[in-house]
Amino acid sequence: MIPTNPRRRRRRLAVACLIAVSAAVGCSSSSGSGWPRQADTSTRPATPSQDAHAKAVPGKPEQDPAERAAAEARAAVEAEAARAEAERVARTAREAAARKWGLATPPLAAPAPPVTKPVLVDNGQHVIVRPGLPPVVRRVPTTDKVVFLTIDDGAEKDPDFSRMLRELNVPVSAFVSDYLARTDYGYFRDLEAHGVAINNHTLNHKDLRKLGGDALQREVCGQQDSLEKQIGVRPKLFRPPYGEYTAEALSIARSCGVTAVPLWNEEAFPDRIEYRYGDHKLQSGDIILTHFRGTDTWKGTMADMLRRVLREVTDQGFALARLEDYL
């Protein structure tokens, strides 16, 4: 056997190693195994799948603008349909309530309250403004087709009347005297909870023209304190008994938080409406007076009175609105 030349053997071994390395590199570039791959510095375009991956929002696929617009349009149509259905249901309920309480048609709905309450300027007749005193108002200055129903004293606490107000959604304002309301302030708390504003009509319904400072303070500010305790409100509106007052009475009312003194142009009863003026017509902003009374003094109930008012107001094209939204 001829001995192999060591130098030649080393050359063959080196060549074999180079061949093996080349084969391994080729495998790694095709199969991805074993060796790190050199970065691709070519400028060929990315595939569609690569583009989508690059633009995707983490956790939420991007919506096509046309699809988004279509979804928004569908949502708007659905919202309008829901609004129309709610309006239809409410109208049906109002019509049913009107029939229940003996009305041919539901009362007209008042417009949205004014963003800013009307400015009260003295005109010597419907609005009286004196420096340092709360204004006295018989007709609120507004062009809205609204009038206001106000109810005085608190003697009659008729549950049917309370239900009628709620079911017909009629806004009214109460002016309560403590000596009559104290037998059941719960009735007036319930009215207040359902949207009836409870205001001040003195403790004992005395003629304020006949009272001095201390007595006026007790009657007016004492009822402010009583209503705050019993109802949880300290009213801004005050109506003097019989519609009679003095500058001193108004000044004391102002000192305990009163900002306006509403009187009235019409008075309502179960069988009639009495008008201050001979045309027997309501005017925008008129204030209507009535009372918490029953069949012991009236020819009917409080529900009869409200029916009379709603028919008259609706027939003349007016809605009842909430006085406190305007004064």
Side-chain angles (χ1 to χ4, degrees):
M1 182 176 182
I2 300 173
T4 305
N5 188 319
R7 183 178 299 174
R8 188 179 299 168
R9 187 170 59 249
R10 284 196 296 272
R11 282 199 301 268
R12 286 200 297 268
L13 181 60
V15 171
C17 287
L18 287 172
I19 293 170
V21 168
S22 298
V25 171
C27 291
S28 69
S29 64
S30 61
S31 68
S33 61
W35 291 79
R37 183 177 181 179
Q38 187 176 2
D40 186 357
T41 58
S42 69
T43 57
R44 70 179 181 273
T47 64
S49 61
Q50 288 173 320
D51 277 343
H53 178 74
K55 294 179 181 179
V57 177
K60 183 179 180 181
E62 184 174 333
Q63 189 178 25
D64 181 85
E67 291 178 355
R68 183 167 61 249
E72 290 172 354
R74 285 195 300 272
V77 169
E78 291 169 359
E80 176 60 22
R83 185 201 62 77
E85 176 61 13
E87 189 175 273
R88 185 194 66 77
V89 170
R91 183 171 59 251
T92 301
R94 286 196 302 271
E95 290 169 352
R99 288 192 299 272
K100 173 182 175 179
W101 293 104
L103 297 170
T105 59
L108 298 176
V115 175
T116 303
K117 294 181 180 181
V119 176
L120 300 177
V121 178
D122 184 84
N123 59 27
Q125 183 179 14
H126 300 299
V127 179
I128 299 173
V129 179
R130 296 292 180 267
L133 301 178
V136 177
V137 183
R138 294 182 186 276
R139 178 181 293 160
V140 176
T142 181
T143 57
D144 291 348
K145 290 283 287 184
V146 297
V147 293
F148 310 98
L149 181 60
T150 63
I151 313 173
D152 280 8
D153 61 45
E156 184 73 15
K157 303 165 184 69
D158 185 343
D160 282 344
F161 174 71
S162 178
R163 282 193 292 273
M164 188 176 181
L165 286 179
R166 291 197 303 270
E167 293 177 13
L168 292 172
N169 193 28
V170 175
V172 301
S173 300
F175 289 81
V176 173
S177 292
D178 180 76
Y179 85 107
L180 293 170
R182 70 170 67 117
T183 58
D184 186 5
Y185 261 115
Y187 179 81
F188 299 98
R189 283 191 289 271
D190 181 69
L191 288 180
E192 197 273 339
H194 287 91
V196 176
I198 308 297
N199 298 293
N200 187 335
H201 197 43
T202 74
L203 284 175
N204 297 293
H205 206 274
K206 295 181 180 294
D207 187 338
L208 301 186
R209 296 172 299 175
K210 300 177 182 179
L211 302 181
D214 290 343
L216 286 171
Q217 183 81 21
R218 283 194 300 273
E219 283 295 317
V220 180
C221 299
Q223 180 62 343
Q224 291 285 86
D225 296 338
S226 177
L227 290 174
E228 186 171 27
K229 177 182 177 181
Q230 295 289 346
I231 309 293
V233 297
R234 195 167 184 84
K236 299 293 186 183
L237 303 185
F238 164 65
R239 173 170 287 159
Y242 315 108
E244 301 291 354
Y245 58 89
T246 62
E248 185 179 18
L250 295 185
S251 178
I252 287 173
R254 182 175 181 271
S255 75
C256 52
V258 169
T259 60
V261 178
L263 298 184
W264 61 90
N265 273 338
E266 294 84 23
E267 184 169 359
F269 302 87
D271 57 336
R272 67 192 188 280
I273 305 288
E274 292 184 355
Y275 289 83
R276 182 177 299 276
Y277 301 103
D279 61 359
H280 287 197
K281 295 292 184 183
L282 295 167
Q283 301 295 326
S284 290
D286 269 359
I287 300 172
I288 304 170
L289 165 70
T290 191
H291 292 83
F292 287 97
R293 300 281 170 83
T295 54
D296 55 337
T297 55
W298 276 352
K299 296 177 180 179
T301 65
M302 291 195 71
D304 294 329
M305 174 277 299
L306 184 56
R307 216 171 356 257
R308 171 73 60 175
V309 169
L310 290 173
R311 286 170 178 164
E312 188 91 1
V313 168
T314 302
D315 286 349
Q316 293 192 38
F318 289 90
L320 288 178
R322 189 172 182 270
L323 182 60
E324 290 74 12
D325 291 335
Y326 287 76
L327 279 186

mmCIF file of all heavy atoms in Angstrom, residues 79-114:
data_model
loop_
_atom_site.group_PDB
_atom_site.id
_atom_site.type_symbol
_atom_site.label_atom_id
_atom_site.label_comp_id
_atom_site.label_asym_id
_atom_site.label_seq_id
_atom_site.Cartn_x
_atom_site.Cartn_y
_atom_site.Cartn_z
ATOM 1 N N ALA A 79 -82.312 55.143 14.353
ATOM 2 C CA ALA A 79 -82.586 56.131 15.400
ATOM 3 C C ALA A 79 -83.860 56.914 15.098
ATOM 4 O O ALA A 79 -84.672 57.176 15.988
ATOM 5 C CB ALA A 79 -81.399 57.083 15.534
ATOM 6 N N GLU A 80 -84.046 57.302 13.843
ATOM 7 C CA GLU A 80 -85.256 58.032 13.460
ATOM 8 C C GLU A 80 -86.496 57.159 13.617
ATOM 9 O O GLU A 80 -87.550 57.610 14.078
ATOM 10 C CB GLU A 80 -85.126 58.513 12.014
ATOM 11 C CG GLU A 80 -86.360 59.209 11.454
ATOM 12 C CD GLU A 80 -86.754 60.447 12.231
ATOM 13 O OE1 GLU A 80 -85.889 61.019 12.919
ATOM 14 O OE2 GLU A 80 -87.943 60.835 12.154
ATOM 15 N N ALA A 81 -86.361 55.879 13.273
ATOM 16 C CA ALA A 81 -87.491 54.961 13.440
ATOM 17 C C ALA A 81 -87.842 54.799 14.914
ATOM 18 O O ALA A 81 -89.018 54.781 15.285
ATOM 19 C CB ALA A 81 -87.155 53.601 12.822
ATOM 20 N N ALA A 82 -86.822 54.713 15.764
ATOM 21 C CA ALA A 82 -87.066 54.589 17.208
ATOM 22 C C ALA A 82 -87.728 55.848 17.756
ATOM 23 O O ALA A 82 -88.643 55.780 18.589
ATOM 24 C CB ALA A 82 -85.749 54.317 17.933
ATOM 25 N N ARG A 83 -87.266 57.030 17.285
ATOM 26 C CA ARG A 83 -87.870 58.288 17.741
ATOM 27 C C ARG A 83 -89.333 58.376 17.322
ATOM 28 O O ARG A 83 -90.205 58.750 18.103
ATOM 29 C CB ARG A 83 -87.085 59.473 17.168
ATOM 30 C CG ARG A 83 -87.552 60.836 17.684
ATOM 31 C CD ARG A 83 -87.117 61.951 16.750
ATOM 32 N NE ARG A 83 -87.692 61.803 15.436
ATOM 33 C CZ ARG A 83 -88.962 62.101 15.141
ATOM 34 N NH1 ARG A 83 -89.781 62.543 16.088
ATOM 35 N NH2 ARG A 83 -89.425 61.939 13.913
ATOM 36 N N ALA A 84 -89.603 58.011 16.072
ATOM 37 C CA ALA A 84 -90.976 58.054 15.574
ATOM 38 C C ALA A 84 -91.867 57.082 16.338
ATOM 39 O O ALA A 84 -93.026 57.408 16.649
ATOM 40 C CB ALA A 84 -90.995 57.728 14.078
ATOM 41 N N GLU A 85 -91.333 55.926 16.667
ATOM 42 C CA GLU A 85 -92.120 54.949 17.417
ATOM 43 C C GLU A 85 -92.401 55.450 18.833
ATOM 44 O O GLU A 85 -93.524 55.321 19.339
ATOM 45 C CB GLU A 85 -91.382 53.606 17.468
ATOM 46 C CG GLU A 85 -92.053 52.527 18.318
ATOM 47 C CD GLU A 85 -93.446 52.135 17.826
ATOM 48 O OE1 GLU A 85 -93.814 52.504 16.691
ATOM 49 O OE2 GLU A 85 -94.163 51.463 18.588
ATOM 50 N N ALA A 86 -91.392 56.041 19.467
ATOM 51 C CA ALA A 86 -91.593 56.596 20.806
ATOM 52 C C ALA A 86 -92.638 57.711 20.781
ATOM 53 O O ALA A 86 -93.478 57.820 21.674
ATOM 54 C CB ALA A 86 -90.268 57.117 21.362
ATOM 55 N N GLU A 87 -92.581 58.537 19.731
ATOM 56 C CA GLU A 87 -93.560 59.618 19.592
ATOM 57 C C GLU A 87 -94.965 59.057 19.385
ATOM 58 O O GLU A 87 -95.939 59.569 19.932
ATOM 59 C CB GLU A 87 -93.153 60.510 18.427
ATOM 60 C CG GLU A 87 -93.965 61.780 18.306
ATOM 61 C CD GLU A 87 -93.441 62.683 17.206
ATOM 62 O OE1 GLU A 87 -92.544 63.487 17.491
ATOM 63 O OE2 GLU A 87 -93.926 62.555 16.062
ATOM 64 N N ARG A 88 -95.061 58.001 18.588
ATOM 65 C CA ARG A 88 -96.368 57.382 18.346
ATOM 66 C C ARG A 88 -96.933 56.796 19.642
ATOM 67 O O ARG A 88 -98.120 56.981 19.952
ATOM 68 C CB ARG A 88 -96.238 56.266 17.305
ATOM 69 C CG ARG A 88 -97.568 55.638 16.898
ATOM 70 C CD ARG A 88 -97.365 54.348 16.140
ATOM 71 N NE ARG A 88 -96.788 53.309 16.967
ATOM 72 C CZ ARG A 88 -97.477 52.606 17.875
ATOM 73 N NH1 ARG A 88 -98.766 52.838 18.067
ATOM 74 N NH2 ARG A 88 -96.878 51.667 18.578
ATOM 75 N N VAL A 89 -96.096 56.117 20.410
ATOM 76 C CA VAL A 89 -96.542 55.530 21.676
ATOM 77 C C VAL A 89 -96.992 56.622 22.640
ATOM 78 O O VAL A 89 -98.033 56.509 23.299
ATOM 79 C CB VAL A 89 -95.409 54.680 22.290
ATOM 80 C CG1 VAL A 89 -95.755 54.263 23.718
ATOM 81 C CG2 VAL A 89 -95.149 53.447 21.442
ATOM 82 N N ALA A 90 -96.204 57.712 22.722
ATOM 83 C CA ALA A 90 -96.565 58.814 23.622
ATOM 84 C C ALA A 90 -97.874 59.472 23.188
ATOM 85 O O ALA A 90 -98.721 59.805 24.025
ATOM 86 C CB ALA A 90 -95.437 59.846 23.647
ATOM 87 N N ARG A 91 -98.053 59.652 21.868
ATOM 88 C CA ARG A 91 -99.294 60.259 21.363
ATOM 89 C C ARG A 91 -100.494 59.377 21.675
ATOM 90 O O ARG A 91 -101.550 59.866 22.104
ATOM 91 C CB ARG A 91 -99.174 60.494 19.857
ATOM 92 C CG ARG A 91 -100.378 61.193 19.247
ATOM 93 C CD ARG A 91 -100.121 61.588 17.804
ATOM 94 N NE ARG A 91 -99.800 60.435 16.971
ATOM 95 C CZ ARG A 91 -98.598 60.186 16.482
ATOM 96 N NH1 ARG A 91 -97.578 60.992 16.754
ATOM 97 N NH2 ARG A 91 -98.394 59.125 15.718
ATOM 98 N N THR A 92 -100.334 58.078 21.493
ATOM 99 C CA THR A 92 -101.418 57.138 21.809
ATOM 100 C C THR A 92 -101.772 57.198 23.291
ATOM 101 O O THR A 92 -102.953 57.183 23.663
ATOM 102 C CB THR A 92 -101.002 55.705 21.419
ATOM 103 O OG1 THR A 92 -100.719 55.677 20.014
ATOM 104 C CG2 THR A 92 -102.100 54.712 21.732
ATOM 105 N N ALA A 93 -100.734 57.289 24.141
ATOM 106 C CA ALA A 93 -100.973 57.363 25.585
ATOM 107 C C ALA A 93 -101.695 58.662 25.953
ATOM 108 O O ALA A 93 -102.611 58.668 26.786
ATOM 109 C CB ALA A 93 -99.650 57.259 26.337
ATOM 110 N N ARG A 94 -101.284 59.787 25.323
ATOM 111 C CA ARG A 94 -101.965 61.065 25.594
ATOM 112 C C ARG A 94 -103.420 61.021 25.170
ATOM 113 O O ARG A 94 -104.305 61.530 25.874
ATOM 114 C CB ARG A 94 -101.249 62.206 24.867
ATOM 115 C CG ARG A 94 -99.929 62.619 25.464
ATOM 116 C CD ARG A 94 -99.467 63.977 24.960
ATOM 117 N NE ARG A 94 -99.339 64.020 23.510
ATOM 118 C CZ ARG A 94 -98.246 63.702 22.842
ATOM 119 N NH1 ARG A 94 -97.179 63.303 23.494
ATOM 120 N NH2 ARG A 94 -98.220 63.786 21.525
ATOM 121 N N GLU A 95 -103.684 60.420 24.022
ATOM 122 C CA GLU A 95 -105.064 60.333 23.533
ATOM 123 C C GLU A 95 -105.914 59.465 24.460
ATOM 124 O O GLU A 95 -107.069 59.806 24.752
ATOM 125 C CB GLU A 95 -105.068 59.777 22.111
ATOM 126 C CG GLU A 95 -104.494 60.744 21.083
ATOM 127 C CD GLU A 95 -104.255 60.099 19.723
ATOM 128 O OE1 GLU A 95 -104.400 58.851 19.637
ATOM 129 O OE2 GLU A 95 -103.924 60.827 18.761
ATOM 130 N N ALA A 96 -105.328 58.368 24.939
ATOM 131 C CA ALA A 96 -106.061 57.500 25.872
ATOM 132 C C ALA A 96 -106.331 58.225 27.184
ATOM 133 O O ALA A 96 -107.433 58.133 27.754
ATOM 134 C CB ALA A 96 -105.269 56.220 26.112
ATOM 135 N N ALA A 97 -105.331 58.961 27.678
ATOM 136 C CA ALA A 97 -105.515 59.709 28.930
ATOM 137 C C ALA A 97 -106.570 60.794 28.760
ATOM 138 O O ALA A 97 -107.387 61.031 29.657
ATOM 139 C CB ALA A 97 -104.187 60.316 29.371
ATOM 140 N N ALA A 98 -106.557 61.469 27.603
ATOM 141 C CA ALA A 98 -107.557 62.511 27.358
ATOM 142 C C ALA A 98 -108.962 61.915 27.378
ATOM 143 O O ALA A 98 -109.877 62.482 28.002
ATOM 144 C CB ALA A 98 -107.280 63.190 26.022
ATOM 145 N N ARG A 99 -109.154 60.782 26.716
ATOM 146 C CA ARG A 99 -110.473 60.136 26.724
ATOM 147 C C ARG A 99 -110.874 59.747 28.149
ATOM 148 O O ARG A 99 -112.031 59.927 28.546
ATOM 149 C CB ARG A 99 -110.463 58.905 25.815
ATOM 150 C CG ARG A 99 -110.411 59.233 24.330
ATOM 151 C CD ARG A 99 -110.706 58.004 23.493
ATOM 152 N NE ARG A 99 -109.742 56.930 23.709
ATOM 153 C CZ ARG A 99 -108.602 56.804 23.038
ATOM 154 N NH1 ARG A 99 -108.277 57.684 22.102
ATOM 155 N NH2 ARG A 99 -107.789 55.784 23.284
ATOM 156 N N LYS A 100 -109.923 59.209 28.904
ATOM 157 C CA LYS A 100 -110.220 58.799 30.278
ATOM 158 C C LYS A 100 -110.744 59.964 31.110
ATOM 159 O O LYS A 100 -111.666 59.794 31.917
ATOM 160 C CB LYS A 100 -108.958 58.229 30.924
ATOM 161 C CG LYS A 100 -109.113 57.924 32.415
ATOM 162 C CD LYS A 100 -107.818 57.395 33.022
ATOM 163 C CE LYS A 100 -107.965 57.222 34.528
ATOM 164 N NZ LYS A 100 -106.725 56.694 35.148
ATOM 165 N N TRP A 101 -110.153 61.164 30.909
ATOM 166 C CA TRP A 101 -110.529 62.319 31.733
ATOM 167 C C TRP A 101 -111.552 63.222 31.059
ATOM 168 O O TRP A 101 -111.763 64.361 31.472
ATOM 169 C CB TRP A 101 -109.272 63.098 32.107
ATOM 170 C CG TRP A 101 -108.370 62.315 33.024
ATOM 171 C CD1 TRP A 101 -107.206 61.689 32.703
ATOM 172 C CD2 TRP A 101 -108.602 62.049 34.405
ATOM 173 N NE1 TRP A 101 -106.685 61.048 33.801
ATOM 174 C CE2 TRP A 101 -107.523 61.256 34.865
ATOM 175 C CE3 TRP A 101 -109.609 62.388 35.309
ATOM 176 C CZ2 TRP A 101 -107.422 60.803 36.177
ATOM 177 C CZ3 TRP A 101 -109.518 61.945 36.627
ATOM 178 C CH2 TRP A 101 -108.436 61.165 37.049
ATOM 179 N N GLY A 102 -112.227 62.709 30.024
ATOM 180 C CA GLY A 102 -113.353 63.430 29.452
ATOM 181 C C GLY A 102 -113.004 64.547 28.505
ATOM 182 O O GLY A 102 -113.784 65.492 28.325
ATOM 183 N N LEU A 103 -111.825 64.464 27.857
ATOM 184 C CA LEU A 103 -111.416 65.489 26.907
ATOM 185 C C LEU A 103 -111.484 64.927 25.487
ATOM 186 O O LEU A 103 -111.068 63.791 25.247
ATOM 187 C CB LEU A 103 -109.987 65.951 27.196
ATOM 188 C CG LEU A 103 -109.768 66.625 28.559
ATOM 189 C CD1 LEU A 103 -108.272 66.811 28.816
ATOM 190 C CD2 LEU A 103 -110.494 67.959 28.630
ATOM 191 N N ALA A 104 -111.990 65.727 24.564
ATOM 192 C CA ALA A 104 -112.092 65.272 23.179
ATOM 193 C C ALA A 104 -110.718 65.145 22.532
ATOM 194 O O ALA A 104 -110.491 64.274 21.692
ATOM 195 C CB ALA A 104 -112.958 66.243 22.376
ATOM 196 N N THR A 105 -109.804 66.017 22.915
ATOM 197 C CA THR A 105 -108.450 65.986 22.367
ATOM 198 C C THR A 105 -107.452 66.197 23.500
ATOM 199 O O THR A 105 -107.769 66.842 24.502
ATOM 200 C CB THR A 105 -108.232 67.077 21.306
ATOM 201 O OG1 THR A 105 -108.482 68.359 21.915
ATOM 202 C CG2 THR A 105 -109.156 66.893 20.128
ATOM 203 N N PRO A 106 -106.240 65.679 23.356
ATOM 204 C CA PRO A 106 -105.217 65.927 24.386
ATOM 205 C C PRO A 106 -104.859 67.406 24.440
ATOM 206 O O PRO A 106 -104.980 68.123 23.443
ATOM 207 C CB PRO A 106 -104.022 65.092 23.915
ATOM 208 C CG PRO A 106 -104.567 64.127 22.918
ATOM 209 C CD PRO A 106 -105.740 64.801 22.285
ATOM 210 N N PRO A 107 -104.410 67.885 25.587
ATOM 211 C CA PRO A 107 -103.944 69.275 25.653
ATOM 212 C C PRO A 107 -102.729 69.475 24.761
ATOM 213 O O PRO A 107 -101.957 68.542 24.529
ATOM 214 C CB PRO A 107 -103.583 69.458 27.139
ATOM 215 C CG PRO A 107 -103.428 68.084 27.689
ATOM 216 C CD PRO A 107 -104.318 67.197 26.891
ATOM 217 N N LEU A 108 -102.596 70.682 24.256
ATOM 218 C CA LEU A 108 -101.439 70.987 23.423
ATOM 219 C C LEU A 108 -100.164 70.962 24.260
ATOM 220 O O LEU A 108 -100.175 71.364 25.432
ATOM 221 C CB LEU A 108 -101.604 72.362 22.773
ATOM 222 C CG LEU A 108 -102.805 72.514 21.835
ATOM 223 C CD1 LEU A 108 -102.900 73.961 21.347
ATOM 224 C CD2 LEU A 108 -102.701 71.557 20.661
ATOM 225 N N ALA A 109 -99.082 70.499 23.658
ATOM 226 C CA ALA A 109 -97.798 70.456 24.354
ATOM 227 C C ALA A 109 -97.127 71.819 24.274
ATOM 228 O O ALA A 109 -97.124 72.474 23.229
ATOM 229 C CB ALA A 109 -96.895 69.397 23.734
ATOM 230 N N ALA A 110 -96.564 72.254 25.385
ATOM 231 C CA ALA A 110 -95.862 73.539 25.418
ATOM 232 C C ALA A 110 -94.553 73.442 24.667
ATOM 233 O O ALA A 110 -93.942 72.372 24.591
ATOM 234 C CB ALA A 110 -95.600 73.957 26.864
ATOM 235 N N PRO A 111 -94.090 74.548 24.084
ATOM 236 C CA PRO A 111 -92.765 74.538 23.444
ATOM 237 C C PRO A 111 -91.675 74.385 24.497
ATOM 238 O O PRO A 111 -91.927 74.481 25.703
ATOM 239 C CB PRO A 111 -92.697 75.912 22.772
ATOM 240 C CG PRO A 111 -93.618 76.771 23.572
ATOM 241 C CD PRO A 111 -94.737 75.871 24.020
ATOM 242 N N ALA A 112 -90.469 74.158 24.041
ATOM 243 C CA ALA A 112 -89.337 74.077 24.963
ATOM 244 C C ALA A 112 -89.210 75.389 25.728
ATOM 245 O O ALA A 112 -89.466 76.467 25.183
ATOM 246 C CB ALA A 112 -88.063 73.787 24.188
ATOM 247 N N PRO A 113 -88.844 75.324 27.008
ATOM 248 C CA PRO A 113 -88.694 76.561 27.787
ATOM 249 C C PRO A 113 -87.665 77.489 27.158
ATOM 250 O O PRO A 113 -86.727 77.035 26.485
ATOM 251 C CB PRO A 113 -88.205 76.057 29.149
ATOM 252 C CG PRO A 113 -88.576 74.616 29.202
ATOM 253 C CD PRO A 113 -88.540 74.118 27.788
ATOM 254 N N PRO A 114 -87.823 78.783 27.344
ATOM 255 C CA PRO A 114 -86.839 79.715 26.781
ATOM 256 C C PRO A 114 -85.471 79.510 27.421
ATOM 257 O O PRO A 114 -85.366 79.217 28.609
ATOM 258 C CB PRO A 114 -87.425 81.093 27.126
ATOM 259 C CG PRO A 114 -88.313 80.847 28.308
ATOM 260 C CD PRO A 114 -88.872 79.472 28.123
#
